[in-house]
Amino acid sequence: MTTEHNNSADPLHAKKEAWSGRFSEPVAEFVLRYTQSVSFDKRMAMADIDGSLAHAAMLASCKVISEQDLDDIRRGMEQIRNEIKAGKFIWQLELEDVHLNVEARLTQLIGDAGKRLHTGRSRNDQVATDIRLYLRSEVDEIIAMLGHLQEVLVAQAEKEYATVMPGFTHMQVAQPVTFGHHMLAYVEMFDRDRERMADLRRRVNRLPLGAAALAGTTYPIDREMTARLLGFEGVMQNSLDAVSDRDFGIEFTAAASLVMVHISRLSEELVYWMSQRFSFIKLPDRFTTGSSIMPQKKNPDVPETARGKAARVTGDLITMVTLMKGLPLAYNKDLQEDKEPVFDAIDTVKDTLRAFIEMMAGVEPNREELRKAALAGFPTATDLADYLTRKGVPFRTSHDIVGRVVRLASERGCDIAELPLEELQGFSDKISEDVYGVLTLEGSLAARNHVGGTAPEQVLHQVSRWKKIFSERNPAAQA
Ligand code: ARG
């Protein structure tokens, strides 16, 4: 295998061949740096090679290039792949982008066959193909990671299915819920995120190649074959659309933004749950950091960072939408700006999911504190109103009665469950000894026993429903 190669003897030669035939002076140094994309699109190199190999196989099968050319191209590409993997490939700014870099090296290695590869193709349909291939495999990874995070949260839900905690509305104690139920709320959110990713994947997974520069090509090509070789679900049916829309990138950054929005909501909760005022949970030390001045500090840096990073992914979405808006058909160089936001969203979502998969497995709820917090703030007041309503008092009247009960308890500085029966009966003669059953936290939880409710029994139902879904997703993991 070749070690380091040197094609910088005449760095501009390949580029000259690529397009500068009609120019009388070279591109200014600054313009070169300004308009290049190789510094960031080289990460699509493997997709670029895959796309080229499929294109070449199709050209050979359609007799546009010879079998010998195809063999040479395969051999050259194999070597280039290895050079890139080994970090020995020399990327040249002068060659603008990943496509011209790979092609120039190929021609250097195999000669004329390398120059024939670009027959019936343009960088316009080539780049659209590359980014779809690249994004497709990243979307698959993100879907798998979301699934993994769901599994971690379901395991927490199973462990804490009966752990009582305050449920909030307006950040005021509202009704008791279980910690397991709370975890499962995020499992639902991440499931919709998975669905969105899987859905947009279908639209990413269509072949632009064959559109050439914008109008199609004069060679007798077989686009269905190229699509098959690359695992695309279909061939894009309009060449102008194929090279120029990046709506799939908008969809992806939108779905990625929603992942981050969900993560950010969870982060916000972790941050305040960790605050001394709450002490609802402990996070593993390796996900927190200290302060350089306050020795006692243990800061929830990972959730805070994730909450912040949600902003940048939303920024990536705004970049994509703004980039597309007002672009005339067909390809415009502006489209080169689609890559960094898409890459940034990919990297940020994957790093964040990775952190959360590990961190959420290590979250330790502080059961006593959660229970104490659930007891403060009359969380079973609604249960008392429901109790009266079941005994024939109209709900609005019950609501009013309980409001007055709460006021009394609040004046006494006790919970409503601590008021003596005679005193409760002073508010309504419908109240009897059995009222204390509904005024406890456990009674309140157990009473919400229907699909979607917080009762521990329901949480366990949901846990087994999810486990079944996970095992259907990934039967191998069962064994
Ligand atoms: N680097 C370019 C991009 O990312 C590739 C396509 C360039 N096409 C062109 N006609 N200049 O969009």
Side-chain angles (χ1 to χ4, degrees):
M1 209 186 72
T2 320
T3 52
E4 217 161 272
H5 68 268
N6 183 1
N7 51 356
S8 59
D10 183 4
L12 288 179
H13 179 73
K15 171 147 174 169
K16 247 181 238 149
E17 284 230 330
W19 57 251
S20 53
R22 62 162 294 179
F23 292 82
S24 54
E25 60 172 359
V27 171
E29 168 66 22
F30 162 73
V31 171
L32 208 103
R33 267 188 290 118
Y34 187 64
T35 57
Q36 63 83 30
S37 58
V38 65
S39 60
F40 50 85
D41 67 14
K42 63 181 178 208
R43 73 151 87 184
M44 305 193 305
M46 294 304 153
D48 191 68
I49 292 173
D50 291 340
S52 288
L53 288 174
H55 179 66
M58 181 278 288
L59 290 179
S61 140
C62 296
K63 312 264 181 270
V64 177
I65 63 171
S66 69
E67 287 297 327
Q68 183 57 53
D69 286 339
L70 176 59
D71 283 350
D72 292 347
I73 289 169
R74 284 185 171 146
R75 181 172 41 82
M77 285 300 199
E78 197 46 40
Q79 177 166 341
I80 292 173
R81 236 193 246 284
N82 291 332
E83 287 174 359
I84 294 172
K85 282 188 188 145
K88 295 203 169 116
F89 190 90
I90 298 169
W91 297 101
Q92 300 186 81
L93 221 59
E94 296 79 7
L95 292 174
E96 263 185 66
D97 54 28
V98 61
H99 324 293
L100 293 181
N101 268 270
V102 170
E103 194 187 313
R105 177 65 178 146
L106 183 70
T107 300
Q108 193 181 45
L109 288 170
I110 66 169
D112 279 355
K115 299 186 188 175
R116 287 194 196 100
L117 170 63
H118 210 54
T119 313
R121 180 176 79 167
S122 150
R123 271 186 295 156
N124 298 350
D125 58 345
Q126 184 177 359
V127 70
T129 304
D130 289 5
I131 191 159
R132 283 167 184 270
L133 284 174
Y134 182 82
L135 182 56
R136 183 179 73 186
S137 74
E138 295 293 338
V139 164
D140 288 343
E141 274 188 45
I142 290 170
I143 290 175
M145 292 179 93
L146 284 166
H148 199 162
L149 178 56
Q150 286 182 304
E151 288 177 33
V152 166
L153 294 173
V154 166
Q156 282 283 5
E158 183 167 30
K159 197 157 55 79
E160 309 297 337
Y161 77 100
T163 304
V164 64
M165 68 180 284
F168 295 93
T169 60
H170 314 271
M171 274 304 282
Q172 306 284 312
V173 171
Q175 291 171 356
V177 295
T178 55
F179 193 85
H181 194 55
H182 201 114
M183 291 294 105
L184 291 176
Y186 285 100
V187 177
E188 297 287 336
M189 293 179 231
F190 294 128
D191 207 53
R192 291 192 296 278
D193 289 331
R194 283 181 93 256
E195 281 178 17
R196 267 184 283 274
M197 288 289 171
D199 186 58
L200 71 91
R201 185 195 194 277
R202 296 187 297 116
R203 286 178 293 282
V204 170
N205 201 24
R206 289 174 195 165
L207 176 81
L209 209 61
L214 76 164
T217 174
T218 55
Y219 299 94
I221 58 170
D222 178 354
R223 298 184 66 208
E224 293 290 345
M225 174 180 173
T226 317
R228 235 177 8 256
L229 291 174
L230 291 171
F232 281 112
E233 286 162 67
V235 167
M236 294 190 75
Q237 300 288 311
N238 182 291
S239 62
L240 297 167
D241 173 48
V243 287
S244 70
D245 207 348
R246 298 292 186 268
D247 54 358
F248 63 91
I250 297 177
E251 285 193 65
F252 170 72
T253 46
S257 297
L258 278 169
V259 171
M260 293 303 293
V261 164
H262 291 149
I263 291 267
S264 181
R265 296 183 69 191
L266 177 55
S267 297
E268 168 63 14
E269 301 204 298
L270 297 173
V271 169
Y272 87 76
W273 287 354
M274 260 193 76
S275 144
Q276 290 83 347
R277 278 299 168 115
F278 286 85
S279 299
F280 281 4
I281 57 161
K282 279 214 293 275
L283 279 191
D285 275 358
R286 62 185 185 286
F287 290 98
T288 60
T289 59
S291 154
S292 50
I293 178 167
M294 298 166 284
Q296 86 283 13
K297 293 279 285 214
K298 197 170 141 181
N299 296 328
D301 272 41
V302 170
E304 290 175 286
T305 305
R307 195 173 55 188
K309 283 189 188 291
R312 66 185 283 156
V313 177
T314 310
D316 294 330
L317 165 63
I318 300 301
T319 305
M320 289 300 295
V321 176
T322 315
L323 176 65
M324 255 350 276
K325 181 195 167 297
L327 269 195
L329 300 183
Y331 179 84
N332 299 275
K333 179 81 171 186
D334 317 41
L335 289 172
Q336 181 165 288
E337 289 292 309
D338 66 348
K339 285 168 207 67
E340 284 166 296
V342 167
F343 296 162
D344 184 71
I346 291 170
D347 293 344
T348 309
V349 165
K350 281 170 66 183
D351 285 351
T352 305
L353 286 174
R354 185 188 158 185
F356 271 68
I357 288 166
E358 225 189 297
M359 185 175 67
M360 290 314 293
V363 166
E364 273 179 55
N366 184 342
R367 293 182 186 163
E368 297 83 79
E369 284 301 324
L370 285 166
R371 186 177 184 85
K372 242 201 290 174
L375 281 170
F378 314 109
T380 58
T382 318
D383 298 85
L384 179 56
D386 289 343
Y387 169 89
L388 291 170
T389 303
R390 276 198 301 277
K391 298 210 167 181
V393 183
F395 182 77
R396 277 291 158 228
T397 311
S398 315
H399 186 283
D400 179 57
I401 293 170
V402 177
R404 284 183 284 118
V405 174
V406 165
R407 195 186 329 152
L408 175 69
S410 162
E411 279 160 17
R412 293 271 174 82
C414 69
D415 186 49
I416 49 182
E418 286 163 347
L419 294 170
L421 184 61
E422 309 79 68
E423 227 156 341
L424 285 173
Q425 283 170 335
F427 288 95
S428 164
D429 56 9
K430 297 281 197 288
I431 296 178
S432 52
E433 185 65 40
D434 63 351
V435 73
Y436 292 103
V438 312
L439 290 182
T440 61
L441 295 175
E442 279 68 25
S444 171
L445 289 177
R448 287 162 172 79
N449 193 11
H450 55 77
V451 174
T454 194
E457 195 184 323
Q458 287 298 326
V459 173
L460 286 180
H461 276 316
Q462 292 290 336
V463 165
S464 35
R465 183 176 73 83
W466 280 115
K467 283 183 166 178
K468 193 160 159 265
I469 292 173
F470 297 155
S471 68
E472 283 161 6
R473 268 181 203 165
N474 183 11
Q478 276 292 72

